[in-house]
Amino acid sequence: MDSGCLMSGDRDETGLASMTHDAVNEVRVIAQEPSLNDAARRLASRFGLTFDEAGASGLAYQLVLTSERLELRSNLTRQGPVYVDFTAGTVAHRQRFGGGRKQLIARAVGMKKGESPRILDATAGMARDAFVLACLGSEVTLIERSPVIAALLENGLQRAQKHIELGELVRERLSLIYGDALDVMRHLDGDDQPDVIFLDPMFPEKMKSALVKKEMRVFRDIAGKDIDADKLLPIALEKAVKRVVVKRPLYAGWLNDMKPTMEMKSGKQRFDIYMTHPELPS
Ligand SMILES: C[S@@+](CC[C@H](N)C(=O)[O-])C[C@H]1O[C@@H](n2cnc3c(N)ncnc32)[C@H](O)[C@@H]1O
């Protein structure tokens, strides 16, 4: 997921009116068929969402439990549903990530030969970065505070755990905590402290870009703007054993206005790296 989000009432170049973050309060959980009502009700209760047995129509967003998966549907766009699927394009992933420890994200978190840091991804989103890091060998704990995104993520992880090729990797290396990373990190102590804390909070887009997929717009609507993102860095610096890595768009300033130990750049992306332990940077 790219960082950034649309403002309330903005109209993007697709002509769609964007909703405020309050849109998330209007999300209803529905079941596609009556036999799934109980499961949908339980899911809604676990994430503090509202289950609607009647199958709420007319709302901008619906979290729909089907016999296959949990998906977010929107009547704001004509796009298809949004859901988490780690297993799509497995072969492509393998090709892309096999031996990929030279790629920027791997170097940013300090992956070295025979060394895979334990990572806490405190801003999980769709867990695309986390999945790459797990494929490259790290154990990654994900934290996500948006109930809708956490529900989608949990469902994606559950399905991936059963996948014939990726199941073992997902079971062993990826786990999710639903909650606010500020709270979770504050309680980390001793052996629970990860080597690396990875942060990728939302960042407002410089320009509305036609390249930004509609899926991402829906997602931004749901997750909000992360206006408290600066607070994540000081506590992450206290708790990460080796380093904190902040993913930023190239044009964005430093998180919490704090100068990193070093920066790594590629294309429109930058990783700001804060060493918390005097290891030699790779
Ligand atoms: C830009 S997305 C992350 C994308 C992710 N790196 C990926 O690869 O899919 C930011 C996510 O962080 C979540 N987030 C922001 N602040 C958080 C916090 N304090 N605790 C937990 N999640 C947070 C937002 O809800 C959003 O889903």
Side-chain angles (χ1 to χ4, degrees):
M1 184 169 66
D2 299 339
S3 303
C5 105
L6 292 174
M7 303 290 286
S8 161
D10 276 355
R11 194 164 279 276
D12 62 32
E13 65 280 2
T14 62
L16 301 168
S18 164
M19 298 180 67
T20 65
H21 182 217
D22 291 342
V24 72
N25 296 325
E26 292 179 29
V27 176
R28 294 289 178 272
V29 178
I30 65 170
Q32 195 175 40
E33 48 195 77
S35 63
L36 297 168
N37 274 350
D38 283 348
R41 192 179 284 110
R42 279 197 302 275
L43 184 138
S45 140
R46 198 161 61 256
F47 291 98
L49 295 164
T50 307
F51 171 67
D52 188 337
E53 192 161 351
S57 60
L59 286 179
Y61 290 107
Q62 296 178 334
L63 210 43
V64 185
L65 186 64
T66 75
S67 51
E68 250 178 90
R69 63 189 175 219
L70 183 69
E71 53 187 49
L72 183 67
R73 296 181 189 169
S74 165
N75 63 14
L76 294 179
T77 77
R78 266 183 272 143
Q79 72 164 105
V82 173
Y83 52 91
V84 175
D85 191 356
F86 295 110
T87 62
T90 303
V91 178
H93 268 292
R94 281 267 160 86
Q95 280 171 344
R96 196 166 155 210
F97 301 123
R101 282 177 164 234
K102 288 199 178 114
Q103 63 184 291
L104 204 62
I105 192 169
R107 287 195 283 128
V109 299
M111 279 185 180
K112 292 175 192 149
K113 211 172 173 202
E115 228 181 281
S116 302
R118 283 180 314 136
I119 300 173
L120 179 72
D121 181 346
T123 54
M126 293 290 256
R128 293 193 168 106
D129 292 321
F131 184 61
V132 171
L133 293 167
C135 286
L136 293 172
S138 277
E139 270 177 47
V140 188
T141 303
L142 303 150
I143 311 177
E144 176 53 55
R145 69 175 168 188
S146 154
V148 174
I149 296 170
L152 290 169
L153 202 44
E154 182 192 73
N155 182 263
L157 285 168
Q158 284 169 348
R159 283 180 283 112
Q161 284 166 358
K162 295 180 197 142
H163 189 261
I164 198 144
E165 268 185 72
L166 286 173
E168 194 179 340
L169 182 149
V170 173
R171 286 193 301 274
E172 286 178 3
R173 299 198 199 145
L174 284 167
S175 55
L176 170 68
I177 298 172
Y178 166 47
D180 194 306
L182 286 169
D183 290 337
V184 177
M185 285 194 288
R186 249 177 230 128
H187 291 99
L188 289 174
D189 254 328
D191 285 351
D192 289 341
Q193 288 179 239
D195 297 317
V196 177
I197 297 182
F198 185 84
L199 302 173
D200 175 22
M202 299 280 191
F203 194 86
E205 263 188 288
K206 201 159 73 172
M207 284 183 289
K208 290 170 195 165
S209 158
L211 296 174
V212 178
K213 287 184 195 160
K214 287 182 201 166
E215 174 195 308
M216 296 309 138
R217 292 195 191 118
V218 171
F219 218 74
R220 286 167 191 173
D221 229 10
I222 294 292
K225 285 189 276 183
D226 293 351
I227 50 171
D228 55 351
D230 280 342
K231 292 184 188 162
L232 290 166
L233 187 53
I235 180 83
L237 289 171
E238 242 180 73
K239 299 295 181 172
V241 174
K242 292 185 176 167
R243 60 175 82 183
V244 176
V245 178
V246 183
K247 182 175 166 183
R248 304 295 269 169
L250 210 50
Y251 62 83
W254 297 320
L255 197 60
N256 203 34
D257 217 14
M258 287 175 83
K259 189 177 189 310
T261 316
M262 60 182 166
E263 297 178 0
M264 291 183 181
K265 295 176 190 168
S266 162
K268 292 180 181 165
Q269 235 170 43
R270 191 180 82 230
F271 292 100
D272 294 340
I273 299 155
Y274 302 80
M275 305 302 291
T276 58
H277 183 271
E279 62 171 318
L280 286 175
S282 52

